[in-house]
Amino acid sequence: MTLDISHQGRNAKVPHVAVRFFKSAPVLLVGIVTVITAPSCVGSDCADTGTCAPSNATPESPDGGTPSTAIPDGCDLSVTPDKAPACISDEIAIFVSPTGDDTNDGTKARPVRTIGAALSKLQAKPRIYVCDGTYREAITVTVPVGLHGGFSCSDWTPNGVHPKVEGTTDKPALVVSGASGVVITDLDFETPPADARGASSIAGLIVTSNVRLQRTLFKAGAGQPGVDAPPKDTFQPATAPKGGDGEPDGYAPALANPMCPTSVGGASGKVPNGPFATGGKPLISPAVPPMNTGAPGTNQIGEPGHDGSHGNGGAGGSGATSLGLLGKNGWLPEAGQSGGAGSPGQGGGGGTSPDLGFYPGGGGPGGCGGAGGAGGGGGGASVALAVLDSPLVIEQSFFMAGSAGRGGTGGQGQIAQRGGPTGDCLEELKGGTGGAGGGGGGGAGGISVGILWKVRTPLIDGRSTPGTATLDGISVGAPGDAGKGGASGPTATTGSVSGATGLDGKSGVAQAVLGL
């Protein structure tokens, strides 16, 4: 099938152009990922933050390097090869064909089979010519080069048919990193939908490079929904250990909860010889319920201590407040924040005895607070072309983004631990139940964007375009919904305190050009 796309109206100086992007019965190729290294700031922190020093080259410069042999008569490297057929020569370029072999030398008569192999054989040649077909490989360009499609495989004459480069579910079809003087014409780049939760589909990624795109197409698949955080496991053991047993002299020691040692059941005491009984820890004021103060029994008359107060519930996690980050490795959507943990319950107070015939036990330690739920993951994006700190000139090109994934739901907070019972005693004195954990926050919804950029505004058909919802030649899909906040942790006992619900995340956006 042949698809004719007419481009006009973006800029008055740009002529009407008809470009055929697809051809019937394309040849399918299986390629490799090839990286050609060159001195640059690739891999440094500056590429993540957009602070790398720019190259002196500009996208308006002729593509590639200087041929090691004489330039053929009539070859003008400042224009595309369809306007200077004399440049379609072995002295100027490496040739790529579906019927080639990567062990070949890359001449017209002996073309290579993949673009990755052509990059590895460039040496001083400034160009790569690709005839029509489908090339399944992820390309990484780190050197100056002109990458040109639109050739007949039979005789290498310009025919305007775009070869298609297909990336993988986890890699862009094209990455240009730390390179200057890169010119790409008459090629289509496409990535399939992402296949992992929260993953994005990006057709092209340009990082700290000088690039010119002419008559190209970038098409991204759908992003995937963010990861839903699972609920926290049930607290084990569900009940705190018991308080200290009464000793023959009427004294029971204060005992801490080994899982959260700040919660301590109070010691018992006796009169008239002492020692005095102690209250439970930590002190929680105001007590929940009000009579559960964890106070010790009075030593004047001999009485049991009070039950400990229940702990406070954890705060709900914040939802994602930004869409995400663009770095050298692509797009990272923002996840929600974890919910807060509940506080431990107060230990029960120790009782007292008026005589030596009764040995009261110590108060039971309070139960530990429940953990907060994890935040939901950010929704995957669909981005046709992402550009980080790169002078970019775009002419007569098209960009198509798919639908974005919703943000992940925050996890439910954890149920808290019940307070421990008193030690050996006729009274049922116990520590307070811990507060339940708060729910996790929701993740950000995914973005659907034609051209996503950071630091340097792209020049599109002669016009600086920092951001716009719609633009001729750019189509986008539906944005991802905001992730929902997670539920609070449930209460472990009647009257104990639950956590707070997590907050929803930020909704995604759908925009033709988006600057960060």
Side-chain angles (χ1 to χ4, degrees):
M1 179 181 71
T2 299
L3 175 64
D4 292 325
I5 300 180
S6 297
H7 175 82
Q8 58 182 329
R10 277 205 199 162
N11 189 298
K13 296 181 180 179
V14 177
H16 177 89
V17 177
V19 181
R20 291 179 295 162
F21 287 110
F22 305 99
K23 186 179 180 181
S24 61
V27 179
L28 301 181
L29 298 182
V30 178
I32 58 174
V33 178
T34 301
V35 179
I36 309 300
T37 59
S40 68
C41 66
V42 178
S44 64
D45 292 339
C46 66
D48 283 323
T49 59
T51 58
C52 292
S55 166
N56 291 329
T58 66
E60 291 77 8
S61 303
D63 52 291
T66 302
S68 57
T69 59
I71 298 176
D73 291 340
C75 173
D76 182 359
L77 290 175
S78 68
V79 298
T80 54
D82 56 311
K83 297 179 180 178
C87 294
I88 308 174
S89 68
D90 292 339
E91 293 82 9
I92 297 299
I94 300 293
F95 292 79
V96 184
S97 169
T99 59
D101 190 312
D102 283 348
T103 63
N104 288 344
D105 56 10
T107 60
K108 276 186 183 181
R110 292 171 50 81
V112 295
R113 191 165 179 255
T114 64
I115 300 170
L119 285 165
S120 69
K121 297 175 185 287
L122 267 178
Q123 296 181 349
K125 294 181 179 181
R127 287 183 172 179
I128 293 173
Y129 294 147
V130 186
C131 69
D132 50 47
T134 298
Y135 298 82
R136 285 182 173 165
E137 54 179 319
I139 303 168
T140 297
V141 178
T142 62
V143 295
V145 68
L147 188 58
H148 303 278
F151 299 95
S152 167
C153 291
S154 60
D155 58 7
W156 292 101
T157 56
N159 64 2
V161 177
H162 285 201
K164 181 167 67 172
V165 180
E166 289 186 349
T168 64
T169 57
D170 59 348
K171 290 184 177 66
L174 173 70
V175 174
V176 182
S177 183
S180 61
V182 176
V183 177
I184 301 174
T185 66
D186 297 320
L187 279 165
D188 297 345
F189 300 93
E190 184 173 343
T191 52
D195 63 355
R197 290 299 293 265
S200 299
S201 177
I202 301 176
L205 174 64
I206 299 174
V207 180
T208 57
S209 300
N210 297 74
V211 180
R212 176 188 288 271
L213 302 175
Q214 297 173 301
R215 302 189 300 268
T216 59
L217 171 69
F218 289 82
K219 182 179 180 182
Q224 289 296 306
V227 174
D228 295 328
K232 289 291 184 180
D233 294 335
T234 302
F235 205 106
Q236 295 294 334
T239 303
K242 69 176 184 176
D245 292 336
E247 301 293 340
D249 64 354
Y251 170 72
L255 293 181
N257 185 337
M259 301 187 69
C260 48
T262 59
S263 186
V264 182
S268 67
K270 65 185 179 68
V271 294
N273 300 324
F276 296 151
T278 60
K281 298 177 181 179
L283 179 64
I284 298 175
S285 181
V288 181
M291 69 287 296
N292 287 25
T293 61
T298 62
N299 61 2
Q300 287 84 5
I301 59 174
E303 65 175 7
H306 291 253
D307 290 345
S309 171
H310 300 311
N312 295 314
S318 297
T321 56
S322 71
L323 296 171
L325 296 172
L326 177 61
K328 64 180 181 182
N329 295 317
W331 177 249
L332 180 64
E334 182 170 325
Q337 300 296 308
S338 295
S343 64
Q346 182 178 356
T352 58
S353 171
D355 57 50
L356 297 179
F358 175 66
Y359 309 140
C368 300
S382 178
V383 178
L385 180 63
V387 186
L388 175 61
D389 193 13
S390 297
L392 174 64
V393 173
I394 299 171
E395 297 174 344
Q396 304 172 11
S397 295
F398 296 85
F399 303 87
M400 303 171 66
S403 59
R406 64 167 176 82
T409 301
Q412 183 180 31
Q414 186 182 40
I415 189 172
Q417 187 182 43
R418 298 187 294 269
T422 188
D424 291 342
C425 182
L426 298 178
E427 302 292 340
E428 287 297 325
L429 309 176
K430 56 185 178 295
T433 296
I447 60 174
S448 177
V449 177
I451 301 173
L452 177 68
W453 65 271
K454 182 178 179 180
V455 181
R456 295 174 182 265
T457 306
L459 192 66
I460 304 176
D461 289 328
R463 185 176 65 190
S464 177
T465 310
T468 181
T470 59
L471 191 66
D472 288 346
I474 300 179
S475 63
V476 297
D481 293 333
K484 300 295 184 181
S488 63
T491 56
T493 58
T494 302
S496 60
V497 185
S498 65
T501 301
L503 301 179
D504 293 347
K506 184 179 180 67
S507 296
V509 299
Q511 195 158 318
V513 181
L514 177 63
L516 299 176

